[in-house]
Amino acid sequence: MAENNDRLAVVILAAGLGKRMKSELPKVLHRACGRALIDYVLDEVGGLQARQVVVVVGHGAGEVREAVGDRALCVEQSPQNGTGHAVTVAVEALDPAVEEVMVLPGDSPLVMRGTLLEMLDARRGAGSAAALLTARLEDPAGYGRVIRGPAGGVARIVEEADASAEERDVNEVNACMYAFERGPLEAGLALLTTDNAQGEYYLTEVVKRLVSRGLAVAAVPAPAEEVLGVNDREQLAAAAAVLRSRINGELMAAGVTIVDPERTYLDHGTEVGRDTVVMPLVFATGKVSIGTGCTVGPCSSINDSVIGDGCEVCYSWLDGCEVEAGATIGPYSRLRPGTRIGPGAKVGSFVEIKNTAVGRGSKVPHLSYIGDADIGEDVNVGAGSITCNYDGESKYRTVIGDRAFIGSDTMLIAPVEVGEDATTGAGSAISEDVPDGALGIERCPQSNVPGWRRRKKDKKARGQ
Ligand code: UD1
Ligand code: CA
């Protein structure tokens, strides 16, 4: 396998407009499973340890440069006159020590490093001027077709727009992924014309130039899936589906049960521990880590959160929070940023929690809003209790001590503190601190009016 890539430069083409996406966003920055398309390409390329990685930017250059960061040298192609022109701009920036140039499209996120290494090996092994990846597709529409000569070797590549009806029937397509020997590549680029249907400098034409000089061009078969280029939103969805199946496949191989992998949406990098069961319609976005032996889902959305071992999360929405071992969340809980749910704690139905720590074993089981609070251990927050944390201007904290019992429908008017082992009476609006062990109760005495009948009833009784 190609190991020494010290003379290799990789050029990633990412300057095109991406017209068919119909988007304000540069095509290579569209996201699939939580990452930009170009991130996937840069990842695979990173593993090659090439001497140089160059990204050709153009449309939305500033944004693409920012996304690429220090992972590659960005060179600008302006105007964008085709893939051949893009490579011409890139080779001008190459280090003199570079002898071999790999070209990849930035819009093809599914290619894998092993396939790229095979391409390098094929070129080097055969001493060819170039090697290119090809695939046989059931539906080759939109791709350049590989036209083979009488002896079976690659003769040229024809773009769909320039192809005859017969050529369009060819189902072997060009992946736009090449390994070139530098000298012949540069010589071929110098001869390109814009004499084609799109009036652009096609990189594909270099292949014809090499062949007409009698140089060998090796075709390396690649899995159909890996050559998928994203030109429109349908292809974006198709690429995302493949990426998803890879993510889910790896997790299943590592001991995670995914009940319905086609309906489980875990972004690239999601960590899930062994023996966790992920039910359908779970979305994990951003940086998510889920422990071992959990049950997650169905229908839950988890963003930038850490969930410990043995937790249950069901029909819930979690963002920027930490859930410690053995806690249960849901159904229908909403945990907002800054929330930390302690070990074995329970958050139940129709409960919203924000910027709050809930201590070990505490329960907020029903219909509550808890914001900006510190809740100790083994606290019970009764149904319908609310922290009134906002006076229209500022936010204030509520502190509840260990083993406190918050009666149902308590309004905790912050800033306020309820001490350890304290109790609040159901229906109380607590605006003053409740000392340890005390009962805080705020209720008008109830008055009963004997024999009182509601007016409506009276009318009915009188037959009106
Ligand atoms: C290209 C190939 C086609 C191949 C297909 C595989 C050519 C002429 N065609 O077609 O044979 O089957 O890829 O997916 O090479 N780009 C630039 N500068 C430009 C134009 C394009 O950097 O001036 C970049 C684009 O951003 C994109 C890549 O090159 O990442 C490919 O361009 P695109 O327009 O998508 O080419 P395809 O029509 O897909
Ligand atoms: Ca493309």
Side-chain angles (χ1 to χ4, degrees), residues 49-97:
Q49 314 217 291
R51 179 176 206 94
Q52 219 182 345
V53 181
V54 178
V55 176
V56 184
V57 301
H59 179 71
E63 285 167 87
V64 179
R65 262 178 210 279
E66 203 184 312
V68 169
D70 59 7
R71 291 179 289 178
L73 170 72
C74 290
V75 297
E76 194 154 341
Q77 181 201 14
S78 173
Q80 291 94 43
N81 278 341
T83 50
H85 178 239
V87 176
T88 305
V89 172
V91 293
E92 281 165 20
L94 292 186
D95 183 317

mmCIF file of all heavy atoms in Angstrom, residues 49-97:
data_model
loop_
_atom_site.group_PDB
_atom_site.id
_atom_site.type_symbol
_atom_site.label_atom_id
_atom_site.label_comp_id
_atom_site.label_asym_id
_atom_site.label_seq_id
_atom_site.Cartn_x
_atom_site.Cartn_y
_atom_site.Cartn_z
ATOM 1 N N GLN A 49 -1.252 11.620 4.551
ATOM 2 C CA GLN A 49 0.013 12.266 4.899
ATOM 3 C C GLN A 49 0.759 12.756 3.669
ATOM 4 O O GLN A 49 1.944 12.487 3.483
ATOM 5 C CB GLN A 49 0.869 11.303 5.686
ATOM 6 C CG GLN A 49 0.008 10.657 6.758
ATOM 7 C CD GLN A 49 0.712 10.419 8.032
ATOM 8 O OE1 GLN A 49 1.582 9.587 8.073
ATOM 9 N NE2 GLN A 49 0.331 11.149 9.057
ATOM 10 N N ALA A 50 0.031 13.477 2.852
ATOM 11 C CA ALA A 50 0.639 14.041 1.649
ATOM 12 C C ALA A 50 1.529 15.218 2.039
ATOM 13 O O ALA A 50 1.380 15.796 3.121
ATOM 14 C CB ALA A 50 -0.449 14.509 0.700
ATOM 15 N N ARG A 51 2.423 15.559 1.136
ATOM 16 C CA ARG A 51 3.309 16.705 1.373
ATOM 17 C C ARG A 51 2.504 18.001 1.439
ATOM 18 O O ARG A 51 2.775 18.893 2.235
ATOM 19 C CB ARG A 51 4.317 16.782 0.226
ATOM 20 C CG ARG A 51 5.256 17.936 0.339
ATOM 21 C CD ARG A 51 6.303 17.922 -0.765
ATOM 22 N NE ARG A 51 7.468 18.618 -0.314
ATOM 23 C CZ ARG A 51 8.531 18.054 0.255
ATOM 24 N NH1 ARG A 51 8.575 16.750 0.397
ATOM 25 N NH2 ARG A 51 9.541 18.774 0.674
ATOM 26 N N GLN A 52 1.484 18.085 0.601
ATOM 27 C CA GLN A 52 0.736 19.346 0.479
ATOM 28 C C GLN A 52 -0.734 19.045 0.180
ATOM 29 O O GLN A 52 -1.023 18.115 -0.578
ATOM 30 C CB GLN A 52 1.323 20.106 -0.716
ATOM 31 C CG GLN A 52 1.435 21.574 -0.514
ATOM 32 C CD GLN A 52 1.970 22.297 -1.744
ATOM 33 O OE1 GLN A 52 2.515 21.694 -2.667
ATOM 34 N NE2 GLN A 52 1.805 23.602 -1.752
ATOM 35 N N VAL A 53 -1.620 19.820 0.760
ATOM 36 C CA VAL A 53 -3.036 19.718 0.412
ATOM 37 C C VAL A 53 -3.491 21.117 0.000
ATOM 38 O O VAL A 53 -3.295 22.080 0.741
ATOM 39 C CB VAL A 53 -3.899 19.202 1.590
ATOM 40 C CG1 VAL A 53 -5.360 19.091 1.184
ATOM 41 C CG2 VAL A 53 -3.383 17.855 2.100
ATOM 42 N N VAL A 54 -4.044 21.211 -1.190
ATOM 43 C CA VAL A 54 -4.455 22.511 -1.724
ATOM 44 C C VAL A 54 -5.957 22.448 -2.008
ATOM 45 O O VAL A 54 -6.430 21.507 -2.638
ATOM 46 C CB VAL A 54 -3.699 22.829 -3.036
ATOM 47 C CG1 VAL A 54 -4.163 24.173 -3.612
ATOM 48 C CG2 VAL A 54 -2.199 22.840 -2.799
ATOM 49 N N VAL A 55 -6.684 23.438 -1.534
ATOM 50 C CA VAL A 55 -8.106 23.525 -1.849
ATOM 51 C C VAL A 55 -8.304 24.714 -2.782
ATOM 52 O O VAL A 55 -7.857 25.830 -2.479
ATOM 53 C CB VAL A 55 -8.966 23.700 -0.581
ATOM 54 C CG1 VAL A 55 -10.432 23.880 -0.945
ATOM 55 C CG2 VAL A 55 -8.805 22.492 0.348
ATOM 56 N N VAL A 56 -8.949 24.467 -3.910
ATOM 57 C CA VAL A 56 -9.233 25.559 -4.845
ATOM 58 C C VAL A 56 -10.576 26.158 -4.446
ATOM 59 O O VAL A 56 -11.603 25.477 -4.458
ATOM 60 C CB VAL A 56 -9.288 25.052 -6.300
ATOM 61 C CG1 VAL A 56 -9.497 26.226 -7.261
ATOM 62 C CG2 VAL A 56 -8.009 24.304 -6.656
ATOM 63 N N VAL A 57 -10.553 27.446 -4.068
ATOM 64 C CA VAL A 57 -11.779 28.118 -3.650
ATOM 65 C C VAL A 57 -12.140 29.180 -4.679
ATOM 66 O O VAL A 57 -11.288 29.615 -5.461
ATOM 67 C CB VAL A 57 -11.641 28.738 -2.239
ATOM 68 C CG1 VAL A 57 -11.312 27.675 -1.217
ATOM 69 C CG2 VAL A 57 -10.567 29.833 -2.220
ATOM 70 N N GLY A 58 -13.391 29.585 -4.692
ATOM 71 C CA GLY A 58 -13.809 30.587 -5.672
ATOM 72 C C GLY A 58 -15.154 31.138 -5.252
ATOM 73 O O GLY A 58 -15.238 32.129 -4.531
ATOM 74 N N HIS A 59 -16.213 30.417 -5.600
ATOM 75 C CA HIS A 59 -17.538 30.842 -5.178
ATOM 76 C C HIS A 59 -17.594 30.763 -3.647
ATOM 77 O O HIS A 59 -17.289 29.729 -3.060
ATOM 78 C CB HIS A 59 -18.584 29.923 -5.816
ATOM 79 C CG HIS A 59 -19.973 30.283 -5.422
ATOM 80 N ND1 HIS A 59 -20.589 31.427 -5.874
ATOM 81 C CD2 HIS A 59 -20.835 29.682 -4.602
ATOM 82 C CE1 HIS A 59 -21.783 31.499 -5.346
ATOM 83 N NE2 HIS A 59 -21.967 30.458 -4.571
ATOM 84 N N GLY A 60 -17.938 31.860 -3.006
ATOM 85 C CA GLY A 60 -17.976 31.883 -1.532
ATOM 86 C C GLY A 60 -16.611 31.610 -0.927
ATOM 87 O O GLY A 60 -16.498 30.952 0.115
ATOM 88 N N ALA A 61 -15.552 32.149 -1.563
ATOM 89 C CA ALA A 61 -14.182 31.813 -1.149
ATOM 90 C C ALA A 61 -13.927 32.049 0.341
ATOM 91 O O ALA A 61 -13.318 31.207 1.005
ATOM 92 C CB ALA A 61 -13.188 32.622 -1.972
ATOM 93 N N GLY A 62 -14.426 33.166 0.842
ATOM 94 C CA GLY A 62 -14.163 33.504 2.244
ATOM 95 C C GLY A 62 -14.705 32.443 3.185
ATOM 96 O O GLY A 62 -14.007 31.969 4.090
ATOM 97 N N GLU A 63 -15.941 32.053 2.930
ATOM 98 C CA GLU A 63 -16.567 31.051 3.812
ATOM 99 C C GLU A 63 -15.863 29.704 3.719
ATOM 100 O O GLU A 63 -15.687 29.002 4.716
ATOM 101 C CB GLU A 63 -18.033 30.829 3.404
ATOM 102 C CG GLU A 63 -18.980 31.930 3.794
ATOM 103 C CD GLU A 63 -20.310 31.755 3.074
ATOM 104 O OE1 GLU A 63 -21.166 31.026 3.595
ATOM 105 O OE2 GLU A 63 -20.478 32.318 1.967
ATOM 106 N N VAL A 64 -15.478 29.340 2.477
ATOM 107 C CA VAL A 64 -14.831 28.030 2.314
ATOM 108 C C VAL A 64 -13.457 28.046 2.985
ATOM 109 O O VAL A 64 -13.091 27.110 3.699
ATOM 110 C CB VAL A 64 -14.736 27.627 0.828
ATOM 111 C CG1 VAL A 64 -14.041 26.279 0.675
ATOM 112 C CG2 VAL A 64 -16.122 27.583 0.192
ATOM 113 N N ARG A 65 -12.719 29.135 2.782
ATOM 114 C CA ARG A 65 -11.416 29.275 3.446
ATOM 115 C C ARG A 65 -11.558 29.092 4.949
ATOM 116 O O ARG A 65 -10.772 28.400 5.580
ATOM 117 C CB ARG A 65 -10.879 30.695 3.243
ATOM 118 C CG ARG A 65 -9.885 30.842 2.147
ATOM 119 C CD ARG A 65 -9.496 32.336 2.074
ATOM 120 N NE ARG A 65 -9.141 32.715 0.734
ATOM 121 C CZ ARG A 65 -7.952 32.487 0.192
ATOM 122 N NH1 ARG A 65 -7.004 31.905 0.885
ATOM 123 N NH2 ARG A 65 -7.711 32.841 -1.047
ATOM 124 N N GLU A 66 -12.549 29.748 5.510
ATOM 125 C CA GLU A 66 -12.729 29.691 6.955
ATOM 126 C C GLU A 66 -13.018 28.258 7.406
ATOM 127 O O GLU A 66 -12.510 27.799 8.427
ATOM 128 C CB GLU A 66 -13.879 30.624 7.339
ATOM 129 C CG GLU A 66 -13.799 31.059 8.771
ATOM 130 C CD GLU A 66 -14.987 31.912 9.169
ATOM 131 O OE1 GLU A 66 -15.321 32.861 8.410
ATOM 132 O OE2 GLU A 66 -15.575 31.619 10.225
ATOM 133 N N ALA A 67 -13.838 27.567 6.620
ATOM 134 C CA ALA A 67 -14.182 26.185 6.980
ATOM 135 C C ALA A 67 -12.962 25.265 6.863
ATOM 136 O O ALA A 67 -12.797 24.347 7.653
ATOM 137 C CB ALA A 67 -15.306 25.685 6.082
ATOM 138 N N VAL A 68 -12.118 25.541 5.888
ATOM 139 C CA VAL A 68 -10.938 24.681 5.674
ATOM 140 C C VAL A 68 -9.905 24.930 6.782
ATOM 141 O O VAL A 68 -9.261 24.000 7.268
ATOM 142 C CB VAL A 68 -10.329 24.941 4.277
ATOM 143 C CG1 VAL A 68 -8.966 24.270 4.147
ATOM 144 C CG2 VAL A 68 -11.282 24.456 3.190
ATOM 145 N N GLY A 69 -9.800 26.196 7.192
ATOM 146 C CA GLY A 69 -8.867 26.539 8.275
ATOM 147 C C GLY A 69 -7.449 26.162 7.923
ATOM 148 O O GLY A 69 -6.997 26.377 6.796
ATOM 149 N N ASP A 70 -6.762 25.550 8.878
ATOM 150 C CA ASP A 70 -5.347 25.244 8.624
ATOM 151 C C ASP A 70 -5.145 23.827 8.089
ATOM 152 O O ASP A 70 -4.047 23.304 8.085
ATOM 153 C CB ASP A 70 -4.514 25.475 9.886
ATOM 154 C CG ASP A 70 -5.003 24.604 11.033
ATOM 155 O OD1 ASP A 70 -5.884 23.745 10.806
ATOM 156 O OD2 ASP A 70 -4.510 24.777 12.164
ATOM 157 N N ARG A 71 -6.234 23.223 7.626
ATOM 158 C CA ARG A 71 -6.090 21.850 7.119
ATOM 159 C C ARG A 71 -5.514 21.802 5.709
ATOM 160 O O ARG A 71 -5.124 20.744 5.242
ATOM 161 C CB ARG A 71 -7.450 21.133 7.149
ATOM 162 C CG ARG A 71 -7.931 20.854 8.567
ATOM 163 C CD ARG A 71 -9.261 20.177 8.583
ATOM 164 N NE ARG A 71 -10.346 21.057 8.176
ATOM 165 C CZ ARG A 71 -11.612 20.683 8.069
ATOM 166 N NH1 ARG A 71 -11.945 19.430 8.295
ATOM 167 N NH2 ARG A 71 -12.535 21.556 7.729
ATOM 168 N N ALA A 72 -5.509 22.938 5.014
ATOM 169 C CA ALA A 72 -4.977 22.955 3.645
ATOM 170 C C ALA A 72 -4.629 24.380 3.267
ATOM 171 O O ALA A 72 -5.051 25.330 3.924
ATOM 172 C CB ALA A 72 -6.021 22.399 2.677
ATOM 173 N N LEU A 73 -3.875 24.497 2.173
ATOM 174 C CA LEU A 73 -3.601 25.803 1.582
ATOM 175 C C LEU A 73 -4.749 26.102 0.619
ATOM 176 O O LEU A 73 -5.090 25.263 -0.211
ATOM 177 C CB LEU A 73 -2.277 25.714 0.809
ATOM 178 C CG LEU A 73 -1.931 26.907 -0.084
ATOM 179 C CD1 LEU A 73 -1.541 28.109 0.775
ATOM 180 C CD2 LEU A 73 -0.775 26.546 -1.025
ATOM 181 N N CYS A 74 -5.354 27.284 0.748
ATOM 182 C CA CYS A 74 -6.435 27.619 -0.177
ATOM 183 C C CYS A 74 -5.906 28.538 -1.273
ATOM 184 O O CYS A 74 -5.190 29.504 -0.984
ATOM 185 C CB CYS A 74 -7.578 28.314 0.563
ATOM 186 S SG CYS A 74 -8.462 27.200 1.651
ATOM 187 N N VAL A 75 -6.234 28.224 -2.509
ATOM 188 C CA VAL A 75 -5.883 29.121 -3.612
ATOM 189 C C VAL A 75 -7.171 29.521 -4.312
ATOM 190 O O VAL A 75 -8.123 28.739 -4.361
ATOM 191 C CB VAL A 75 -4.910 28.464 -4.628
ATOM 192 C CG1 VAL A 75 -3.580 28.130 -3.966
ATOM 193 C CG2 VAL A 75 -5.516 27.236 -5.275
ATOM 194 N N GLU A 76 -7.197 30.739 -4.815
ATOM 195 C CA GLU A 76 -8.448 31.235 -5.367
ATOM 196 C C GLU A 76 -8.475 31.133 -6.885
ATOM 197 O O GLU A 76 -7.546 31.544 -7.568
ATOM 198 C CB GLU A 76 -8.668 32.681 -4.916
ATOM 199 C CG GLU A 76 -10.093 33.122 -5.170
ATOM 200 C CD GLU A 76 -10.557 34.230 -4.226
ATOM 201 O OE1 GLU A 76 -9.932 34.405 -3.160
ATOM 202 O OE2 GLU A 76 -11.522 34.912 -4.586
ATOM 203 N N GLN A 77 -9.569 30.597 -7.388
ATOM 204 C CA GLN A 77 -9.816 30.507 -8.827
ATOM 205 C C GLN A 77 -10.908 31.514 -9.163
ATOM 206 O O GLN A 77 -12.025 31.400 -8.685
ATOM 207 C CB GLN A 77 -10.287 29.090 -9.189
ATOM 208 C CG GLN A 77 -10.551 28.910 -10.677
ATOM 209 C CD GLN A 77 -11.483 27.734 -10.960
ATOM 210 O OE1 GLN A 77 -12.137 27.194 -10.062
ATOM 211 N NE2 GLN A 77 -11.550 27.343 -12.211
ATOM 212 N N SER A 78 -10.569 32.487 -9.982
ATOM 213 C CA SER A 78 -11.555 33.511 -10.317
ATOM 214 C C SER A 78 -11.253 34.056 -11.715
ATOM 215 O O SER A 78 -10.142 34.517 -11.953
ATOM 216 C CB SER A 78 -11.474 34.631 -9.282
ATOM 217 O OG SER A 78 -12.287 35.695 -9.669
ATOM 218 N N PRO A 79 -12.170 33.980 -12.657
ATOM 219 C CA PRO A 79 -13.482 33.342 -12.533
ATOM 220 C C PRO A 79 -13.325 31.827 -12.543
ATOM 221 O O PRO A 79 -12.224 31.322 -12.755
ATOM 222 C CB PRO A 79 -14.197 33.831 -13.799
ATOM 223 C CG PRO A 79 -13.094 34.060 -14.792
ATOM 224 C CD PRO A 79 -11.907 34.505 -14.012
ATOM 225 N N GLN A 80 -14.433 31.121 -12.329
ATOM 226 C CA GLN A 80 -14.393 29.657 -12.289
ATOM 227 C C GLN A 80 -14.656 29.102 -13.694
ATOM 228 O O GLN A 80 -15.797 28.955 -14.111
ATOM 229 C CB GLN A 80 -15.427 29.131 -11.293
ATOM 230 C CG GLN A 80 -15.079 29.454 -9.845
ATOM 231 C CD GLN A 80 -15.728 30.723 -9.337
ATOM 232 O OE1 GLN A 80 -16.895 30.967 -9.585
ATOM 233 N NE2 GLN A 80 -14.975 31.565 -8.653
ATOM 234 N N ASN A 81 -13.548 28.810 -14.369
ATOM 235 C CA ASN A 81 -13.648 28.386 -15.769
ATOM 236 C C ASN A 81 -13.557 26.890 -15.978
ATOM 237 O O ASN A 81 -13.083 26.447 -17.017
ATOM 238 C CB ASN A 81 -12.551 29.075 -16.592
ATOM 239 C CG ASN A 81 -12.966 30.479 -16.985
ATOM 240 O OD1 ASN A 81 -14.148 30.806 -16.953
ATOM 241 N ND2 ASN A 81 -12.005 31.309 -17.335
ATOM 242 N N GLY A 82 -13.958 26.133 -15.009
ATOM 243 C CA GLY A 82 -13.990 24.682 -15.195
ATOM 244 C C GLY A 82 -12.965 23.947 -14.355
ATOM 245 O O GLY A 82 -12.044 24.544 -13.784
ATOM 246 N N THR A 83 -13.138 22.624 -14.304
ATOM 247 C CA THR A 83 -12.282 21.804 -13.431
ATOM 248 C C THR A 83 -10.825 21.819 -13.904
ATOM 249 O O THR A 83 -9.908 21.780 -13.069
ATOM 250 C CB THR A 83 -12.802 20.354 -13.375
ATOM 251 O OG1 THR A 83 -13.025 19.880 -14.717
ATOM 252 C CG2 THR A 83 -14.103 20.248 -12.610
ATOM 253 N N GLY A 84 -10.614 21.888 -15.216
ATOM 254 C CA GLY A 84 -9.239 21.937 -15.737
ATOM 255 C C GLY A 84 -8.574 23.239 -15.334
ATOM 256 O O GLY A 84 -7.413 23.269 -14.896
ATOM 257 N N HIS A 85 -9.319 24.314 -15.431
ATOM 258 C CA HIS A 85 -8.810 25.630 -15.028
ATOM 259 C C HIS A 85 -8.493 25.640 -13.530
ATOM 260 O O HIS A 85 -7.461 26.174 -13.088
ATOM 261 C CB HIS A 85 -9.849 26.702 -15.392
ATOM 262 C CG HIS A 85 -9.453 28.082 -14.981
ATOM 263 N ND1 HIS A 85 -10.227 28.844 -14.122
ATOM 264 C CD2 HIS A 85 -8.371 28.836 -15.281
ATOM 265 C CE1 HIS A 85 -9.625 30.011 -13.931
ATOM 266 N NE2 HIS A 85 -8.502 30.033 -14.625
ATOM 267 N N ALA A 86 -9.362 25.017 -12.741
ATOM 268 C CA ALA A 86 -9.149 24.975 -11.286
ATOM 269 C C ALA A 86 -7.826 24.272 -10.960
ATOM 270 O O ALA A 86 -7.056 24.730 -10.107
ATOM 271 C CB ALA A 86 -10.315 24.253 -10.605
ATOM 272 N N VAL A 87 -7.555 23.175 -11.655
ATOM 273 C CA VAL A 87 -6.303 22.449 -11.382
ATOM 274 C C VAL A 87 -5.107 23.269 -11.855
ATOM 275 O O VAL A 87 -4.058 23.285 -11.207
ATOM 276 C CB VAL A 87 -6.337 21.037 -12.013
ATOM 277 C CG1 VAL A 87 -5.006 20.319 -11.821
ATOM 278 C CG2 VAL A 87 -7.472 20.213 -11.396
ATOM 279 N N THR A 88 -5.279 23.998 -12.949
ATOM 280 C CA THR A 88 -4.200 24.867 -13.430
ATOM 281 C C THR A 88 -3.827 25.890 -12.356
ATOM 282 O O THR A 88 -2.643 26.135 -12.092
ATOM 283 C CB THR A 88 -4.641 25.614 -14.718
ATOM 284 O OG1 THR A 88 -5.059 24.639 -15.670
ATOM 285 C CG2 THR A 88 -3.523 26.445 -15.303
ATOM 286 N N VAL A 89 -4.829 26.470 -11.720
ATOM 287 C CA VAL A 89 -4.570 27.447 -10.659
ATOM 288 C C VAL A 89 -3.852 26.760 -9.490
ATOM 289 O O VAL A 89 -2.909 27.309 -8.910
ATOM 290 C CB VAL A 89 -5.909 28.074 -10.184
ATOM 291 C CG1 VAL A 89 -5.701 28.943 -8.959
ATOM 292 C CG2 VAL A 89 -6.547 28.878 -11.321
ATOM 293 N N ALA A 90 -4.282 25.548 -9.175
ATOM 294 C CA ALA A 90 -3.705 24.843 -8.019
ATOM 295 C C ALA A 90 -2.245 24.469 -8.249
ATOM 296 O O ALA A 90 -1.421 24.607 -7.338
ATOM 297 C CB ALA A 90 -4.528 23.586 -7.708
ATOM 298 N N VAL A 91 -1.917 23.985 -9.454
ATOM 299 C CA VAL A 91 -0.535 23.513 -9.649
ATOM 300 C C VAL A 91 0.477 24.658 -9.552
ATOM 301 O O VAL A 91 1.630 24.434 -9.201
ATOM 302 C CB VAL A 91 -0.328 22.704 -10.969
ATOM 303 C CG1 VAL A 91 -1.080 21.387 -10.935
ATOM 304 C CG2 VAL A 91 -0.672 23.508 -12.187
ATOM 305 N N GLU A 92 0.007 25.870 -9.798
ATOM 306 C CA GLU A 92 0.904 27.025 -9.652
ATOM 307 C C GLU A 92 1.379 27.176 -8.204
ATOM 308 O O GLU A 92 2.423 27.742 -7.955
ATOM 309 C CB GLU A 92 0.189 28.314 -10.076
ATOM 310 C CG GLU A 92 0.147 28.466 -11.594
ATOM 311 C CD GLU A 92 -0.861 29.521 -12.050
ATOM 312 O OE1 GLU A 92 -1.254 30.391 -11.226
ATOM 313 O OE2 GLU A 92 -1.255 29.455 -13.232
ATOM 314 N N ALA A 93 0.584 26.664 -7.272
ATOM 315 C CA ALA A 93 0.925 26.818 -5.852
ATOM 316 C C ALA A 93 1.687 25.613 -5.305
ATOM 317 O O ALA A 93 1.956 25.540 -4.106
ATOM 318 C CB ALA A 93 -0.356 27.029 -5.054
ATOM 319 N N LEU A 94 2.018 24.664 -6.162
ATOM 320 C CA LEU A 94 2.628 23.439 -5.636
ATOM 321 C C LEU A 94 4.106 23.623 -5.316
ATOM 322 O O LEU A 94 4.841 24.326 -6.006
ATOM 323 C CB LEU A 94 2.462 22.287 -6.639
ATOM 324 C CG LEU A 94 1.040 21.777 -6.872
ATOM 325 C CD1 LEU A 94 1.073 20.539 -7.766
ATOM 326 C CD2 LEU A 94 0.326 21.474 -5.557
ATOM 327 N N ASP A 95 4.493 22.954 -4.282
ATOM 328 C CA ASP A 95 5.870 22.874 -3.833
ATOM 329 C C ASP A 95 6.709 22.208 -4.949
ATOM 330 O O ASP A 95 6.258 21.248 -5.561
ATOM 331 C CB ASP A 95 5.780 21.987 -2.575
ATOM 332 C CG ASP A 95 7.075 21.791 -1.862
ATOM 333 O OD1 ASP A 95 8.111 21.560 -2.513
ATOM 334 O OD2 ASP A 95 7.019 21.839 -0.619
ATOM 335 N N PRO A 96 7.921 22.712 -5.206
ATOM 336 C CA PRO A 96 8.731 22.118 -6.285
ATOM 337 C C PRO A 96 9.025 20.630 -6.073
ATOM 338 O O PRO A 96 9.249 19.897 -7.042
ATOM 339 C CB PRO A 96 10.032 22.924 -6.241
ATOM 340 C CG PRO A 96 9.747 24.127 -5.426
ATOM 341 C CD PRO A 96 8.555 23.861 -4.574
ATOM 342 N N ALA A 97 8.989 20.183 -4.827
ATOM 343 C CA ALA A 97 9.315 18.768 -4.565
ATOM 344 C C ALA A 97 8.170 17.815 -4.915
ATOM 345 O O ALA A 97 8.328 16.596 -4.898
ATOM 346 C CB ALA A 97 9.688 18.602 -3.104
#
